[in-house]
């Protein structure tokens, strides 16, 4: 059976898209160029801010998300992965507008978390305010009887500032230190693992940086994409 072509709906932001692309390459078993998977990327940084839209302060990103998804289908992708957590709020609408499947990063992360830490009861979520507001992680993790703990409101604002700093290219130790502090507060509230629930977060928070496991949804999605492409 021929390998499937992966379509990456990206640009939210570009660094996060590169991170997903790199992780797909990293998790593909290959000894030469020809062993790698064919990947089509629509890196559209002009897609309106997802959090601003969810909070009623910005333009609806759905038309642009829909256009990118359709472009990927037209150019030969067999399925789509979306390099943005918050954009998954729109994933059902996007799926309805294309005739190729979309892998759901949030669902894949919930499933993977339960598989690698079977007894887990609570996870801490570091994400955009849009992701907190929509509770997309809460809904998917609830299926696996895992409670999602969010930071206090002022720390949610702090995470958002960190996300925008990373989007602006700031990966300084100060920025990393700030995310570690907020993660520690979630650990103090009983979190047994931290979900790096915005595609910018894994760029500054990695496994080993804090005292509990860090679950990287970008990595989970990359591994799921490789598996699906090779089925």
């Amino acid at each position: 059976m021929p390998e499937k072509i992966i379509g990456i709906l990206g640009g939210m932001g570009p660094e996060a898209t590169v991170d997903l692309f790199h992780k797909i390459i990293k998790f593909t078993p290959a000894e030469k160029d020809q062993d790698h998977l064919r990947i089509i990327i629509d890196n559209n940084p002009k897609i309106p801010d997802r959090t601003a839209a969810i909070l009623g302060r910005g333009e609806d990103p759905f038309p642009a998300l829909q256009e990118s998804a359709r472009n990927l289908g037209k150019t030969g992708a067999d399925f789509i992965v979306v390099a943005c957590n918050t954009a998954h709020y729109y994933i059902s609408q996007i799926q309805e507008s294309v005739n190729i499947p979309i892998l759901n990063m949030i669902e894949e992360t919930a499933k993977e978390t339960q598989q690698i830490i079977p007894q887990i009861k609570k996870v801490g979520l570091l994400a955009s305010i849009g992701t907190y507001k929509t509770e997309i992680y809460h809904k998917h993790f609830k299926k696996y009887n895992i409670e999602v703990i969010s930071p206090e409101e002022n720390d949610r604002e702090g995470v958002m500032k960190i996300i925008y700093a990373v989007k602006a290219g700031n990966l300084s130790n100060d920025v990393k230190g700030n995310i570690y502090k907020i993660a520690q507060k979630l650990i103090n509230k009983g979190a047994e693992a931290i979900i790096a629930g915005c595609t910018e977060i894994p760029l500054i928070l990695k496994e080993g940086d804090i005292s509990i496991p860090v679950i990287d949804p970008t990595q989970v999605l990359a591994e799921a994409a490789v598996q699906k492409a090779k089925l």
Side-chain angles (χ1 to χ4, degrees):
M1 186 180 289
E3 293 171 341
K4 296 182 181 71
I5 298 169
I6 302 171
I8 298 179
L9 202 169
M12 306 169 282
E15 288 275 6
T17 304
V18 170
D19 189 39
L20 176 59
F21 180 38
H22 179 255
K23 282 169 179 164
I24 291 172
I25 294 168
K26 181 179 161 189
F27 290 110
T28 302
E31 294 179 0
K32 58 185 185 298
D33 289 349
Q34 291 75 19
D35 295 335
H36 282 282
L37 298 163
R38 187 170 177 190
I39 300 170
I40 300 168
I41 302 173
D42 189 347
N43 185 70
N44 182 8
K46 307 303 182 189
I47 295 171
D49 188 296
R50 284 65 60 202
T51 290
I54 288 165
L55 297 177
R57 300 174 192 158
E59 185 185 343
D60 182 4
F62 173 67
L65 290 165
Q66 181 185 54
E67 181 190 19
S68 276
R70 286 177 171 169
N71 285 344
L72 289 167
K74 286 175 191 170
T75 49
D78 292 307
F79 68 95
I80 293 169
V81 289
V82 181
C84 173
N85 286 263
T86 314
H88 280 68
Y89 174 65
Y90 303 94
I91 205 158
S92 297
Q93 286 176 273
I94 303 167
Q95 182 63 82
E96 285 171 9
S97 61
V98 293
N99 57 11
I100 56 175
I102 302 173
L103 274 187
N104 189 317
M105 174 160 55
I106 320 294
E107 173 61 28
E108 293 293 335
T109 301
K111 184 167 64 178
E112 176 75 2
T113 301
Q114 203 277 328
Q115 284 175 355
I116 61 175
I117 316 172
Q119 305 306 317
I120 195 163
K121 296 296 178 196
K122 292 182 181 181
V123 295
L125 177 63
L126 295 171
S128 73
I129 290 172
T131 297
Y132 290 128
K133 185 174 174 62
T134 58
E135 296 195 335
I136 48 178
Y137 267 94
H138 297 69
K139 290 165 189 168
H140 283 283
F141 273 74
K142 192 175 181 182
K143 297 179 202 170
Y144 298 90
N145 297 313
I146 301 170
E147 180 187 347
V148 174
I149 306 169
S150 302
E152 301 299 327
E153 194 165 338
N154 62 330
D155 280 334
R156 293 184 199 188
E157 296 282 352
V159 176
M160 200 73 224
K161 286 176 184 171
I162 290 164
I163 289 166
Y164 285 131
V166 174
K167 284 180 182 289
N170 184 353
L171 306 178
S172 68
N173 287 334
D174 281 348
V175 170
K176 291 177 182 178
N178 288 336
I179 204 71
Y180 299 164
K181 285 175 192 171
I182 297 171
Q184 186 57 51
K185 289 182 185 179
L186 292 171
I187 295 168
N188 295 344
K189 288 170 75 173
E192 300 162 80
I194 294 291
I195 307 294
C198 171
T199 41
E200 272 69 40
I201 301 288
L203 301 176
I204 53 166
L205 179 68
K206 303 182 187 301
E207 183 67 33
D209 286 342
I210 55 176
S211 61
I212 60 173
V214 175
I215 310 290
D216 175 1
T218 305
Q219 179 176 318
V220 172
L221 183 60
E223 293 186 73
V226 171
Q227 189 175 17
K228 185 171 181 64
K230 288 189 162 290
L231 280 178

